[in-house]
Amino acid sequence: MDLELRHLRTVLAIAEAGSLTKAAAGLGLAQPALSTQLKRIERTLGGPLFERDRHGARPTPLGELVLSRARVLLPAVQGLQEEAVRFANGGADLPRFRLGGTHGPLLGGLVDRLAAAQPTGAVTTYTSWSMQEITGMVADGRLDYALIGVCGDGQAPDADRMAWYIVGTDPVFVLLPEDHPLAARPEPELELAELAGECWTNVPGEGCFADCFTAACARAGFTPRSIYETDVASSVHLVQVGRAVGLCRATFPPTPGLVTRPLAGAPLSWRHLFGWYPGSPAAPGAAAVVAHARAAHAEATRRSETYTGWLAAHPEFGTAPRP
């Protein structure tokens, strides 16, 4: 017997009812018929799914495994059916936004704005550390738009195939625990050389950022002790516990226990790029999505008092003008 969705629904019904008798009543079956069906399902899956006694039916470890998968699969299939019906009844004209991002700070803001502006549309995301992977998926039609970042004057990938717009340019700030000696200093800007004795943490990625940071340290007269490349949550933890200081975009959101400080002379910067493939069906909608990306960047900037104060003296940074 091949396993079918109805079999998973049966297993889930038994687990939720807590007994075969109650499950049979809810399914409109006789209890012996349900018991026979369960035995067939168990033979197909290789073992008993429930321990049955006078107190009811409790899932075995195998049953828990099957139930965990069923609770994912059944809603997903239901959602697919509903979406297909909507599509078949005119839903093909509803907006769709398939976004790819490289774990930058703006993707969440862009998703929020698109979902608010197009409540009947479908917004999906795909993230990767590799901007080459993201842009390749856009060019191949598997994604509609890319939201990535490049260091300083770094080049956008696949510029011969993709159209790129600069959403904003930010300096790279330093992330410190609030009890760090430099965090309470009245002057907001720090000289990079003042951090020569620190360990550093940053998120991984492609491009020249690591080389640019090492070069900036060399100009400041030191070599970094160590650099931990890890995910955002781990980087934040390392800073919070005093294990390292972090490198972050100036739009890094306010976080309890942490402060951001600009580096004098802005030796490192980051450009947020929004890209699409000109020949794709999504190309006509790119300008509207760019506007939402710009708004998300501007909002992220406003949330950082340190950044907004610093921008007043550095107008070459911040959200890009309207295209």
Side-chain angles (χ1 to χ4, degrees), residues 154-207:
Q155 298 300 306
D158 293 339
D160 57 332
R161 293 195 295 172
M162 298 277 291
W164 291 103
Y165 173 78
I166 301 175
V167 175
T169 303
D170 296 325
V172 173
F173 279 10
V174 176
L175 188 65
L176 301 171
E178 62 182 4
D179 58 354
H180 191 284
L182 295 176
R185 203 173 66 182
E187 301 82 6
E189 289 193 334
L190 304 178
E191 295 290 341
L192 186 56
E194 296 180 272
L195 299 160
E198 302 284 355
C199 295
W200 298 82
T201 183
N202 184 43
V203 297
E206 298 171 325

Short mmCIF file of all heavy atoms in Angstrom, two decimals, residues 154-207:
data_model
loop_
_atom_site.label_atom_id
_atom_site.label_comp_id
_atom_site.label_asym_id
_atom_site.label_seq_id
_atom_site.Cartn_x
_atom_site.Cartn_y
_atom_site.Cartn_z
N GLY A 154 32.73 48.27 -4.70
CA GLY A 154 32.67 46.96 -5.32
C GLY A 154 31.63 46.91 -6.43
O GLY A 154 30.62 47.61 -6.39
N GLN A 155 31.88 46.07 -7.40
CA GLN A 155 30.99 45.97 -8.55
C GLN A 155 29.82 45.04 -8.28
O GLN A 155 29.95 44.03 -7.61
CB GLN A 155 31.78 45.47 -9.76
CG GLN A 155 32.91 46.40 -10.19
CD GLN A 155 32.40 47.77 -10.56
OE1 GLN A 155 31.51 47.92 -11.40
NE2 GLN A 155 32.95 48.80 -9.93
N ALA A 156 28.68 45.40 -8.82
CA ALA A 156 27.50 44.52 -8.75
C ALA A 156 27.73 43.30 -9.62
O ALA A 156 28.31 43.41 -10.72
CB ALA A 156 26.26 45.27 -9.21
N PRO A 157 27.30 42.13 -9.19
CA PRO A 157 27.51 40.93 -9.99
C PRO A 157 26.59 40.89 -11.21
O PRO A 157 25.52 41.49 -11.24
CB PRO A 157 27.16 39.79 -9.02
CG PRO A 157 26.22 40.41 -8.04
CD PRO A 157 26.65 41.84 -7.91
N ASP A 158 27.05 40.18 -12.23
CA ASP A 158 26.26 39.96 -13.45
C ASP A 158 25.70 41.25 -14.02
O ASP A 158 24.54 41.32 -14.45
CB ASP A 158 25.11 38.98 -13.17
CG ASP A 158 25.60 37.58 -12.86
OD1 ASP A 158 26.74 37.27 -13.23
OD2 ASP A 158 24.85 36.81 -12.25
N ALA A 159 26.54 42.30 -14.03
CA ALA A 159 26.07 43.60 -14.50
C ALA A 159 25.68 43.58 -15.97
O ALA A 159 24.92 44.44 -16.43
CB ALA A 159 27.14 44.66 -14.26
N ASP A 160 26.19 42.61 -16.73
CA ASP A 160 25.84 42.54 -18.15
C ASP A 160 24.44 41.99 -18.36
O ASP A 160 23.83 42.21 -19.42
CB ASP A 160 26.86 41.68 -18.90
CG ASP A 160 26.98 40.28 -18.33
OD1 ASP A 160 26.73 40.12 -17.11
OD2 ASP A 160 27.32 39.35 -19.07
N ARG A 161 23.89 41.27 -17.36
CA ARG A 161 22.55 40.69 -17.50
C ARG A 161 21.51 41.37 -16.62
O ARG A 161 20.33 41.37 -16.93
CB ARG A 161 22.57 39.20 -17.16
CG ARG A 161 23.35 38.32 -18.10
CD ARG A 161 23.00 36.85 -17.86
NE ARG A 161 23.41 36.40 -16.54
CZ ARG A 161 23.07 35.20 -16.03
NH1 ARG A 161 22.30 34.38 -16.73
NH2 ARG A 161 23.50 34.84 -14.83
N MET A 162 21.96 41.93 -15.50
CA MET A 162 21.04 42.46 -14.50
C MET A 162 20.99 43.98 -14.53
O MET A 162 21.96 44.65 -14.88
CB MET A 162 21.49 42.01 -13.11
CG MET A 162 21.50 40.51 -12.89
SD MET A 162 19.87 39.89 -12.46
CE MET A 162 19.67 40.60 -10.83
N ALA A 163 19.84 44.54 -14.15
CA ALA A 163 19.71 45.97 -13.92
C ALA A 163 19.82 46.21 -12.42
O ALA A 163 19.18 45.52 -11.63
CB ALA A 163 18.36 46.47 -14.44
N TRP A 164 20.65 47.18 -12.03
CA TRP A 164 20.91 47.43 -10.61
C TRP A 164 20.60 48.88 -10.24
O TRP A 164 20.88 49.80 -11.01
CB TRP A 164 22.37 47.14 -10.26
CG TRP A 164 22.72 45.69 -10.32
CD1 TRP A 164 23.40 45.04 -11.30
CD2 TRP A 164 22.38 44.70 -9.34
NE1 TRP A 164 23.52 43.70 -11.01
CE2 TRP A 164 22.91 43.46 -9.81
CE3 TRP A 164 21.71 44.72 -8.12
CZ2 TRP A 164 22.76 42.29 -9.10
CZ3 TRP A 164 21.56 43.55 -7.41
CH2 TRP A 164 22.09 42.35 -7.90
N TYR A 165 20.04 49.05 -9.06
CA TYR A 165 19.77 50.38 -8.51
C TYR A 165 20.35 50.44 -7.10
O TYR A 165 20.18 49.50 -6.31
CB TYR A 165 18.26 50.65 -8.47
CG TYR A 165 17.91 51.92 -7.76
CD1 TYR A 165 18.06 53.15 -8.40
CD2 TYR A 165 17.45 51.91 -6.44
CE1 TYR A 165 17.76 54.33 -7.74
CE2 TYR A 165 17.14 53.08 -5.78
CZ TYR A 165 17.30 54.29 -6.44
OH TYR A 165 17.01 55.46 -5.78
N ILE A 166 21.04 51.52 -6.78
CA ILE A 166 21.60 51.70 -5.44
C ILE A 166 20.50 52.23 -4.52
O ILE A 166 20.02 53.35 -4.69
CB ILE A 166 22.80 52.67 -5.46
CG1 ILE A 166 23.90 52.14 -6.39
CG2 ILE A 166 23.34 52.87 -4.05
CD1 ILE A 166 25.05 53.12 -6.56
N VAL A 167 20.10 51.42 -3.55
CA VAL A 167 19.07 51.82 -2.60
C VAL A 167 19.62 52.83 -1.61
O VAL A 167 18.95 53.81 -1.25
CB VAL A 167 18.53 50.57 -1.86
CG1 VAL A 167 17.54 50.98 -0.77
CG2 VAL A 167 17.86 49.62 -2.85
N GLY A 168 20.82 52.60 -1.14
CA GLY A 168 21.44 53.50 -0.17
C GLY A 168 22.87 53.10 0.06
O GLY A 168 23.28 51.97 -0.24
N THR A 169 23.65 54.02 0.59
CA THR A 169 25.05 53.76 0.93
C THR A 169 25.25 54.10 2.39
O THR A 169 24.92 55.22 2.83
CB THR A 169 26.00 54.59 0.06
OG1 THR A 169 25.76 54.31 -1.32
CG2 THR A 169 27.45 54.27 0.39
N ASP A 170 25.76 53.15 3.16
CA ASP A 170 25.94 53.34 4.59
C ASP A 170 27.41 53.19 4.96
O ASP A 170 28.13 52.37 4.39
CB ASP A 170 25.16 52.29 5.38
CG ASP A 170 23.66 52.40 5.19
OD1 ASP A 170 23.18 53.54 5.04
OD2 ASP A 170 22.99 51.36 5.18
N PRO A 171 27.86 53.95 5.96
CA PRO A 171 29.17 53.65 6.54
C PRO A 171 29.06 52.37 7.36
O PRO A 171 27.97 51.96 7.75
CB PRO A 171 29.42 54.85 7.44
CG PRO A 171 28.06 55.28 7.86
CD PRO A 171 27.17 55.03 6.67
N VAL A 172 30.17 51.74 7.59
CA VAL A 172 30.23 50.60 8.50
C VAL A 172 30.56 51.13 9.88
O VAL A 172 31.56 51.85 10.06
CB VAL A 172 31.27 49.56 8.03
CG1 VAL A 172 31.44 48.46 9.08
CG2 VAL A 172 30.85 48.97 6.69
N PHE A 173 29.71 50.83 10.84
CA PHE A 173 29.91 51.26 12.22
C PHE A 173 30.53 50.13 13.04
O PHE A 173 30.61 48.99 12.60
CB PHE A 173 28.58 51.67 12.84
CG PHE A 173 28.13 53.07 12.49
CD1 PHE A 173 28.76 53.82 11.52
CD2 PHE A 173 27.03 53.63 13.14
CE1 PHE A 173 28.34 55.10 11.19
CE2 PHE A 173 26.60 54.92 12.83
CZ PHE A 173 27.25 55.65 11.85
N VAL A 174 30.93 50.47 14.24
CA VAL A 174 31.43 49.50 15.21
C VAL A 174 30.34 49.22 16.23
O VAL A 174 29.68 50.14 16.72
CB VAL A 174 32.70 50.01 15.91
CG1 VAL A 174 33.16 49.02 16.98
CG2 VAL A 174 33.81 50.22 14.90
N LEU A 175 30.15 47.96 16.53
CA LEU A 175 29.14 47.53 17.51
C LEU A 175 29.86 47.17 18.81
O LEU A 175 30.75 46.30 18.82
CB LEU A 175 28.39 46.31 16.97
CG LEU A 175 27.18 45.80 17.73
CD1 LEU A 175 26.07 46.84 17.74
CD2 LEU A 175 26.68 44.49 17.12
N LEU A 176 29.47 47.84 19.90
CA LEU A 176 30.14 47.67 21.19
C LEU A 176 29.14 47.30 22.28
O LEU A 176 27.97 47.72 22.22
CB LEU A 176 30.82 48.98 21.62
CG LEU A 176 31.88 49.59 20.70
CD1 LEU A 176 32.25 50.97 21.19
CD2 LEU A 176 33.10 48.69 20.62
N PRO A 177 29.58 46.55 23.30
CA PRO A 177 28.71 46.39 24.48
C PRO A 177 28.61 47.73 25.19
O PRO A 177 29.55 48.54 25.18
CB PRO A 177 29.45 45.34 25.32
CG PRO A 177 30.88 45.43 24.88
CD PRO A 177 30.86 45.82 23.43
N GLU A 178 27.47 48.00 25.80
CA GLU A 178 27.24 49.32 26.39
C GLU A 178 28.20 49.64 27.53
O GLU A 178 28.38 50.81 27.88
CB GLU A 178 25.80 49.46 26.85
CG GLU A 178 25.39 48.49 27.93
CD GLU A 178 23.92 48.64 28.32
OE1 GLU A 178 23.20 49.44 27.71
OE2 GLU A 178 23.49 47.93 29.25
N ASP A 179 28.83 48.62 28.12
CA ASP A 179 29.78 48.88 29.20
C ASP A 179 31.22 48.97 28.70
O ASP A 179 32.16 49.03 29.51
CB ASP A 179 29.67 47.80 30.29
CG ASP A 179 29.92 46.39 29.76
OD1 ASP A 179 30.07 46.23 28.53
OD2 ASP A 179 29.93 45.45 30.57
N HIS A 180 31.41 48.98 27.39
CA HIS A 180 32.76 49.11 26.85
C HIS A 180 33.27 50.52 27.17
O HIS A 180 32.50 51.50 27.10
CB HIS A 180 32.74 48.89 25.33
CG HIS A 180 34.10 48.74 24.72
ND1 HIS A 180 34.93 49.81 24.49
CD2 HIS A 180 34.77 47.64 24.27
CE1 HIS A 180 36.05 49.38 23.93
NE2 HIS A 180 35.98 48.07 23.79
N PRO A 181 34.55 50.69 27.50
CA PRO A 181 35.06 52.03 27.84
C PRO A 181 34.83 53.07 26.76
O PRO A 181 34.62 54.25 27.08
CB PRO A 181 36.56 51.77 28.05
CG PRO A 181 36.65 50.33 28.45
CD PRO A 181 35.56 49.64 27.69
N LEU A 182 34.84 52.68 25.49
CA LEU A 182 34.66 53.64 24.41
C LEU A 182 33.19 53.94 24.13
O LEU A 182 32.88 54.89 23.41
CB LEU A 182 35.32 53.12 23.12
CG LEU A 182 36.84 52.97 23.15
CD1 LEU A 182 37.34 52.35 21.85
CD2 LEU A 182 37.50 54.33 23.39
N ALA A 183 32.28 53.15 24.71
CA ALA A 183 30.85 53.33 24.41
C ALA A 183 30.30 54.60 25.05
O ALA A 183 29.37 55.21 24.51
CB ALA A 183 30.06 52.12 24.87
N ALA A 184 30.84 54.99 26.18
CA ALA A 184 30.30 56.14 26.91
C ALA A 184 31.03 57.44 26.61
O ALA A 184 30.67 58.48 27.16
CB ALA A 184 30.36 55.86 28.42
N ARG A 185 31.99 57.41 25.76
CA ARG A 185 32.75 58.63 25.46
C ARG A 185 31.87 59.65 24.74
O ARG A 185 31.09 59.28 23.85
CB ARG A 185 33.96 58.28 24.59
CG ARG A 185 35.06 59.31 24.68
CD ARG A 185 36.29 58.86 23.95
NE ARG A 185 36.05 58.77 22.51
CZ ARG A 185 36.95 58.36 21.64
NH1 ARG A 185 38.13 57.97 22.07
NH2 ARG A 185 36.68 58.33 20.35
N PRO A 186 31.95 60.92 25.09
CA PRO A 186 31.04 61.91 24.49
C PRO A 186 31.18 62.01 22.98
O PRO A 186 30.19 62.17 22.28
CB PRO A 186 31.44 63.21 25.19
CG PRO A 186 32.16 62.81 26.42
CD PRO A 186 32.81 61.50 26.13
N GLU A 187 32.41 61.95 22.47
CA GLU A 187 32.60 62.05 21.02
C GLU A 187 32.10 60.78 20.35
O GLU A 187 32.54 59.69 20.69
CB GLU A 187 34.08 62.26 20.67
CG GLU A 187 34.70 63.49 21.29
CD GLU A 187 35.14 63.27 22.72
OE1 GLU A 187 35.07 62.13 23.20
OE2 GLU A 187 35.52 64.26 23.37
N PRO A 188 31.18 60.89 19.39
CA PRO A 188 30.61 59.67 18.82
C PRO A 188 31.60 58.90 17.95
O PRO A 188 31.57 57.66 17.93
CB PRO A 188 29.44 60.19 17.98
CG PRO A 188 29.78 61.62 17.68
CD PRO A 188 30.56 62.11 18.85
N GLU A 189 32.45 59.59 17.21
CA GLU A 189 33.35 58.89 16.29
C GLU A 189 34.55 58.30 17.03
O GLU A 189 35.12 58.91 17.94
CB GLU A 189 33.84 59.82 15.19
CG GLU A 189 32.76 60.20 14.19
CD GLU A 189 33.33 60.86 12.96
OE1 GLU A 189 34.42 61.47 13.05
OE2 GLU A 189 32.69 60.78 11.90
N LEU A 190 34.94 57.09 16.59
CA LEU A 190 36.10 56.42 17.14
C LEU A 190 37.16 56.32 16.05
O LEU A 190 36.84 56.12 14.88
CB LEU A 190 35.75 55.01 17.62
CG LEU A 190 34.63 54.87 18.65
CD1 LEU A 190 34.40 53.40 18.95
CD2 LEU A 190 34.96 55.64 19.92
N GLU A 191 38.40 56.45 16.44
CA GLU A 191 39.50 56.14 15.53
C GLU A 191 39.67 54.63 15.50
O GLU A 191 39.63 53.96 16.54
CB GLU A 191 40.80 56.81 16.00
CG GLU A 191 40.78 58.32 15.98
CD GLU A 191 40.78 58.88 14.56
OE1 GLU A 191 41.15 58.14 13.62
OE2 GLU A 191 40.42 60.06 14.41
N LEU A 192 39.84 54.08 14.31
CA LEU A 192 40.00 52.63 14.19
C LEU A 192 41.18 52.15 15.03
O LEU A 192 41.13 51.06 15.63
CB LEU A 192 40.18 52.25 12.73
CG LEU A 192 40.23 50.75 12.39
CD1 LEU A 192 38.99 50.03 12.89
CD2 LEU A 192 40.40 50.55 10.88
N ALA A 193 42.23 52.96 15.14
CA ALA A 193 43.41 52.56 15.90
C ALA A 193 43.10 52.35 17.38
O ALA A 193 43.81 51.60 18.06
CB ALA A 193 44.51 53.61 15.73
N GLU A 194 42.05 53.00 17.89
CA GLU A 194 41.69 52.83 19.30
C GLU A 194 41.20 51.42 19.60
O GLU A 194 41.13 51.01 20.76
CB GLU A 194 40.60 53.83 19.68
CG GLU A 194 41.02 55.29 19.60
CD GLU A 194 39.89 56.22 20.00
OE1 GLU A 194 39.09 56.60 19.11
OE2 GLU A 194 39.80 56.55 21.20
N LEU A 195 40.86 50.68 18.57
CA LEU A 195 40.34 49.32 18.73
C LEU A 195 41.37 48.26 18.34
O LEU A 195 41.03 47.11 18.09
CB LEU A 195 39.08 49.16 17.88
CG LEU A 195 37.93 50.11 18.26
CD1 LEU A 195 36.94 50.24 17.11
CD2 LEU A 195 37.23 49.62 19.50
N ALA A 196 42.64 48.66 18.31
CA ALA A 196 43.69 47.76 17.82
C ALA A 196 43.80 46.48 18.64
O ALA A 196 44.17 45.43 18.12
CB ALA A 196 45.03 48.49 17.80
N GLY A 197 43.49 46.53 19.92
CA GLY A 197 43.64 45.35 20.75
C GLY A 197 42.45 44.44 20.81
O GLY A 197 42.45 43.43 21.53
N GLU A 198 41.40 44.74 20.03
CA GLU A 198 40.15 43.98 20.11
C GLU A 198 40.13 42.79 19.16
O GLU A 198 40.81 42.78 18.12
CB GLU A 198 38.97 44.89 19.76
CG GLU A 198 38.83 46.13 20.63
CD GLU A 198 38.25 45.81 22.00
OE1 GLU A 198 37.87 44.65 22.23
OE2 GLU A 198 38.15 46.74 22.82
N CYS A 199 39.32 41.79 19.51
CA CYS A 199 38.90 40.77 18.56
C CYS A 199 37.67 41.30 17.83
O CYS A 199 36.93 42.13 18.38
CB CYS A 199 38.58 39.45 19.26
SG CYS A 199 40.01 38.69 20.07
N TRP A 200 37.40 40.78 16.64
CA TRP A 200 36.33 41.31 15.80
C TRP A 200 35.38 40.20 15.38
O TRP A 200 35.76 39.04 15.29
CB TRP A 200 36.91 41.97 14.55
CG TRP A 200 37.80 43.13 14.83
CD1 TRP A 200 39.12 43.09 15.20
CD2 TRP A 200 37.43 44.51 14.84
NE1 TRP A 200 39.59 44.36 15.41
CE2 TRP A 200 38.58 45.26 15.18
CE3 TRP A 200 36.24 45.19 14.55
CZ2 TRP A 200 38.56 46.63 15.27
CZ3 TRP A 200 36.24 46.58 14.63
CH2 TRP A 200 37.38 47.29 14.98
N THR A 201 34.15 40.61 15.11
CA THR A 201 33.18 39.66 14.57
C THR A 201 32.39 40.33 13.44
O THR A 201 32.13 41.53 13.48
CB THR A 201 32.21 39.14 15.66
OG1 THR A 201 31.32 38.17 15.09
CG2 THR A 201 31.39 40.26 16.26
N ASN A 202 32.03 39.52 12.46
CA ASN A 202 31.32 40.02 11.30
C ASN A 202 30.62 38.86 10.63
O ASN A 202 31.02 37.70 10.80
CB ASN A 202 32.31 40.69 10.33
CG ASN A 202 31.61 41.32 9.14
OD1 ASN A 202 30.58 41.96 9.28
ND2 ASN A 202 32.15 41.10 7.96
N VAL A 203 29.59 39.14 9.83
CA VAL A 203 28.92 38.08 9.08
C VAL A 203 29.73 37.76 7.83
O VAL A 203 30.41 38.62 7.28
CB VAL A 203 27.48 38.48 8.69
CG1 VAL A 203 26.63 38.68 9.93
CG2 VAL A 203 27.48 39.74 7.84
N PRO A 204 29.69 36.52 7.36
CA PRO A 204 30.45 36.16 6.16
C PRO A 204 29.80 36.70 4.90
O PRO A 204 28.68 37.21 4.92
CB PRO A 204 30.43 34.63 6.18
CG PRO A 204 29.16 34.29 6.90
CD PRO A 204 28.98 35.37 7.93
N GLY A 205 30.50 36.56 3.81
CA GLY A 205 29.95 37.00 2.53
C GLY A 205 31.02 37.00 1.47
O GLY A 205 32.21 36.79 1.73
N GLU A 206 30.58 37.23 0.25
CA GLU A 206 31.50 37.31 -0.87
C GLU A 206 32.00 38.74 -1.02
O GLU A 206 31.61 39.63 -0.28
CB GLU A 206 30.79 36.87 -2.15
CG GLU A 206 30.32 35.44 -2.11
CD GLU A 206 29.44 35.09 -3.30
OE1 GLU A 206 28.69 35.98 -3.75
OE2 GLU A 206 29.51 33.95 -3.76
N GLY A 207 32.84 38.97 -2.00
CA GLY A 207 33.30 40.33 -2.26
C GLY A 207 34.56 40.66 -1.49
O GLY A 207 35.24 39.80 -0.91
#
